[in-house]
Amino acid sequence: MRIALGVSGGVAAYKAAELVRRLQQEKLDVQVVMTRGAQEFITPLTFAALTGNKVITGLFGDKEASANVESAIEHIAVAQRIDLLVVAPATADVLAKLANGIADDFLTTLYLATKAPVIIAPAMNVNMWEHPATQKNIETLRARGVRVVQPDEGYLACGMVGPGRLAGIEAIASAVCETLGLRHDLEGLTVLVTAGPTVEDVDPVRVLTNRSSGKMGYALADAAARRGAHVILISGPTELRAPAEVDWLPVRSTEEMHRTVRERASGADVVIMAAAVADYRPASPEPKKIKRGTGKMMLELEPTADILAELGRNKGSKILVGFAAETEHLAENARHKLTAKGADIIVANDVTQEGAGFDTDTNIVVLFSRDGRETALPRMSKFDVANRILDQVAELRLAQLGKGVK
Ligand code: CTP
């Protein structure tokens, strides 16, 4: 996720560097936008070095900024790109501009141009903070849906004591996490996810495979890692890049996937089989290329191991999630797979539906749980679907803990 951090000109501007570090722990990509005042307190170079992104300092009216179209419309591009705008520290001047829609620099223009949620963390002298003008601006912003992280009380840089000190980094970070829906509810758990297709050789040039892109499994791995889990991603061949901080184990055939899952499943608390695993493979792959003949040709196939069902037979306290890709009788087939494979949850989707299934960025699924619950989700991004699945996993884990399962 990308966020913009607006830094305005107060003594607390230096604390924004610490905030950047803290937000990066949440795997957020931070774009810093500095007002002219902020640059009197801390240099853009500090933020550029910390974030790896170019820091935006341009003011409208700057000759340089208006000289090319790209920078002249950059505020629109940034506004569309971000998932959140947080302004910390926000000075009395910036609050007044935001409350009144004054857009005379990049930060204040970005505020007007973005549809992303906005958080402000004010910092100023106690009298400025308590002034009715500032309080009215705060009320205006709150009424507009802006989240305000209240300043702390204490010794202020000006020597006075009272409210006005920038809120603690943790308080600001937790407001950001809450607003973005980032949780750490899977911390301490190892989550094994399988993804993508498997590939079975027919001969040295031909294979049997399926249309799985791996997107659902990779979204699950990404979401679980963001929620604090240690993630092992066992993936058939895909074009996707493994999410950061995930233990990525590429495999090709069902046999390889089976072996790798067996090796790693014993250390996992949760196993999510999102891979589209082949049910059959050529009984005897040819070592040499099969030559063209004149008549029909038969390919003999043998069944592969059902990895999920095997895990289901030796489940222990593991939470098992399977998928069911169906083209008909969705509920009936999913309920059958739930018991036949010993899973806790089956995520079923009708792959013939538009916006669901192979190689799409969205999915439309129904979650069938062992306790009889059926949750039909509307069409949503695979990342959001992943989080809804993980919500149920986290619930099951809490229930286990309640029963004293370690
Ligand atoms: N699965 C597995 N090993 C296999 C086949 C499937 O672990 N050899 C897992 C999949 O990863 C998925 C679940 O089982 O989580 C259901 O897969 P699916 O292909 O929908 O069901 P099948 O059992 O293969 O039944 P069918 O193809 O007849 O629908």
Side-chain angles (χ1 to χ4, degrees):
M1 284 183 164
R2 290 205 181 107
I3 72 163
L5 169 62
V7 183
S8 58
V11 183
Y14 76 94
K15 293 185 184 166
E18 212 183 306
L19 181 61
V20 166
R21 272 277 181 255
R22 179 64 189 82
L23 296 174
Q24 284 172 331
Q25 284 171 7
E26 302 295 332
K27 301 185 182 74
L28 296 171
D29 185 19
V30 185
Q31 168 67 66
V32 175
V33 179
M34 298 179 80
T35 63
R36 181 173 293 207
Q39 294 165 59
E40 301 291 329
F41 291 90
I42 183 166
T43 68
L45 189 60
T46 306
F47 291 114
L50 288 174
T51 62
N53 292 326
K54 196 185 96 194
V55 172
I56 299 174
T57 54
L59 293 170
F60 294 101
D62 273 8
K63 278 213 179 69
E64 206 191 315
S66 49
N68 66 71
V69 176
E70 201 185 300
S71 53
I73 58 162
E74 201 178 2
H75 59 290
I76 303 296
V78 175
Q80 286 169 349
R81 210 161 51 213
I82 56 173
D83 299 295
L84 179 91
L85 167 63
V86 51
V87 186
T91 58
D93 176 55
V94 159
L95 290 181
K97 284 180 183 166
L98 299 185
N100 292 288
I102 295 168
D104 64 351
D105 68 2
F106 198 101
L107 177 58
T108 48
T109 310
L110 177 61
Y111 166 75
L112 288 189
T114 193
K115 292 251 186 254
V118 179
I119 297 177
I120 51 169
M124 64 199 73
N125 159 276
V126 55
N127 291 345
M128 290 172 78
W129 171 248
E130 286 174 347
H131 196 284
T134 303
Q135 288 305 311
K136 182 157 184 295
N137 290 333
I138 287 284
E139 277 326 302
T140 304
L141 289 167
R142 271 216 180 98
R144 224 180 262 155
V146 171
R147 184 166 178 164
V148 180
V149 187
Q150 286 288 112
D152 283 345
E153 288 200 25
Y155 283 102
L156 304 176
C158 54
M160 292 176 76
V161 180
R165 210 160 65 168
L166 182 70
I169 300 302
E170 274 314 311
I172 303 171
S174 75
V176 168
C177 289
E178 248 175 59
T179 308
L180 290 175
L182 302 174
R183 283 150 293 179
H184 292 124
D185 52 355
L186 302 181
E187 215 142 71
L189 294 184
T190 296
V191 176
L192 188 159
V193 181
T194 64
T198 56
V199 178
E200 308 297 338
D201 290 329
V202 175
D203 70 14
V205 293
R206 302 180 180 98
V207 296
L208 286 184
T209 186
N210 60 66
R211 291 177 48 208
S212 168
S213 64
K215 285 181 179 171
M216 191 62 242
Y218 277 61
L220 275 158
D222 189 18
R226 286 175 192 273
R227 288 168 75 154
H230 165 229
V231 178
I232 303 166
L233 174 60
I234 301 176
S235 172
T238 72
E239 311 237 296
L240 305 173
R241 243 185 359 158
E245 286 169 50
V246 158
D247 215 347
W248 182 69
L249 304 171
V251 296
R252 193 160 175 275
S253 64
T254 303
E255 199 183 338
E256 247 186 285
M257 182 171 279
H258 186 198
R259 196 177 343 113
T260 316
V261 170
R262 261 191 177 166
E263 280 165 15
R264 304 302 293 260
S266 60
D269 305 288
V270 181
V271 178
I272 307 179
M273 287 289 304
V277 187
D279 289 329
Y280 291 92
R281 64 170 169 237
S284 40
E286 294 296 331
K288 299 250 160 53
K289 187 182 168 198
I290 302 169
K291 301 305 279 183
R292 180 205 287 270
T294 45
K296 283 186 182 167
M297 113 155 239
M298 298 291 287
L299 187 61
E300 198 189 346
L301 302 177
E302 64 180 16
T304 58
D306 187 329
I307 306 172
L308 181 59
E310 184 181 294
L311 291 169
R313 287 192 291 273
N314 310 291
K315 194 168 165 297
S317 61
K318 252 189 246 333
I319 295 169
L320 285 187
V321 181
F323 275 71
E326 306 295 342
T327 52
E328 57 182 354
H329 310 306
L330 183 96
E332 201 182 315
N333 288 333
R335 282 187 211 118
H336 171 72
K337 283 177 189 172
L338 197 57
T339 45
K341 303 203 181 223
D344 295 287
I345 301 167
I346 287 286
V347 184
N349 63 339
D350 178 347
V351 289
T352 60
Q353 247 182 311
E354 176 127 1
F358 302 119
D359 213 18
T360 53
D361 290 320
T362 57
N363 214 347
I364 307 166
V365 305
V366 186
L367 308 184
F368 294 83
S369 336
R370 193 195 270 269
D371 61 12
R373 242 187 326 159
E374 299 184 3
T375 316
L377 301 179
R379 179 175 162 198
M380 53 175 78
S381 73
K382 286 188 170 169
F383 187 73
D384 287 342
V385 172
N387 273 310
R388 299 296 286 267
I389 296 168
L390 294 172
D391 287 347
Q392 291 210 355
V393 167
E395 261 178 51
L396 285 175
R397 181 65 191 157
L398 267 184
Q400 279 186 343
L401 292 175
K403 287 184 198 147
V405 178
K406 288 246 171 74

